[in-house]
Amino acid sequence: MRLAAVLSVLVILAPVAVAWAQRPKPAPSEKPAPAGPRELGKFDDWIAATHQESGQTACYAFVRAKNSVPAVSGRGEVVLTVTERPSGRDTVAISAGFPFHKDAAVTVQVDTTGLDFYTVQSSAFARDGKAAVAAFQKGEQALARSPGPRDGQVIVDTFSLRGFAAAYAAINKACPAR
């Protein structure tokens, strides 16, 4: 009698046990991916974005060169960037796409304003970021003249400034000065 009762319970519960065993397993809790850049918007030719650096938000606006003369074989991307961080405001940099010679100088012309940049490896930085930003807000294009990777070579990179003022406003809103 007992055996018959146990068997009848098993017959009744078997489909439930099978269904329970076949249910989808909950996915292991996924760890969130590290926070990458987050786009704030596109402003004509400029893009504004944020990213995390050492637990703090950094905001930047950038544009790629629309023209580079002469063409340099194997050259990486050429980008003009303005960055706002809690530790520093109006950092203006150009990523040249090739390493500069030691102590190379870069000049950027915006309308009638000339700006001096110093170089570190494959980047050039404005000596006066505030002056560069002021010129970018009023200008239509920036012409960067830099020594090329070969001796005596001069590279001219042209950057559009269309949309810079709006992109700059967006990064300052996302990363206000303290």
Side-chain angles (χ1 to χ4, degrees):
M1 209 58 181
R2 273 187 161 182
L3 182 59
V6 170
L7 287 175
S8 64
V9 170
L10 286 176
V11 169
I12 294 170
L13 293 179
V16 174
V18 169
W20 184 81
Q22 292 177 345
R23 79 186 189 294
K25 306 281 188 264
S29 60
E30 294 180 23
K31 295 179 182 174
R38 182 177 66 88
E39 186 174 300
L40 296 173
K42 293 181 181 174
F43 304 90
D44 291 318
D45 296 329
W46 283 74
I47 297 172
T50 67
H51 73 277
Q52 294 296 309
E53 287 181 348
S54 304
Q56 304 230 352
T57 301
C59 299
Y60 57 98
F62 69 95
V63 65
R64 289 173 180 83
K66 67 179 183 180
N67 191 27
S68 295
V69 177
V72 175
S73 177
R75 186 177 189 192
E77 201 166 39
V78 184
V79 181
L80 172 61
T81 307
V82 176
T83 307
E84 304 295 347
R85 293 180 178 86
S87 61
R89 309 298 294 173
D90 296 339
T91 301
V92 179
I94 298 171
S95 175
F98 61 85
F100 288 110
H101 295 292
K102 184 178 166 79
D103 298 324
V106 173
T107 59
V108 174
Q109 189 74 33
V110 179
D111 298 331
T112 59
T113 303
L115 304 163
D116 292 324
F117 283 58
Y118 65 93
T119 59
V120 177
Q121 297 174 358
S122 61
S123 296
F125 298 92
R127 291 191 185 279
D128 184 346
K130 289 189 184 312
V133 165
F136 293 172
Q137 287 181 316
K138 297 175 189 169
E140 291 185 29
Q141 70 177 10
L143 296 174
R145 287 180 177 77
S146 63
R150 291 187 301 230
D151 286 337
Q153 184 180 41
V154 175
I155 307 287
V156 179
D157 297 309
T158 304
F159 300 96
S160 169
L161 296 175
R162 285 188 39 220
F164 172 76
Y168 183 71
I171 65 173
N172 276 286
K173 182 177 179 184
C175 291
R178 295 181 187 192

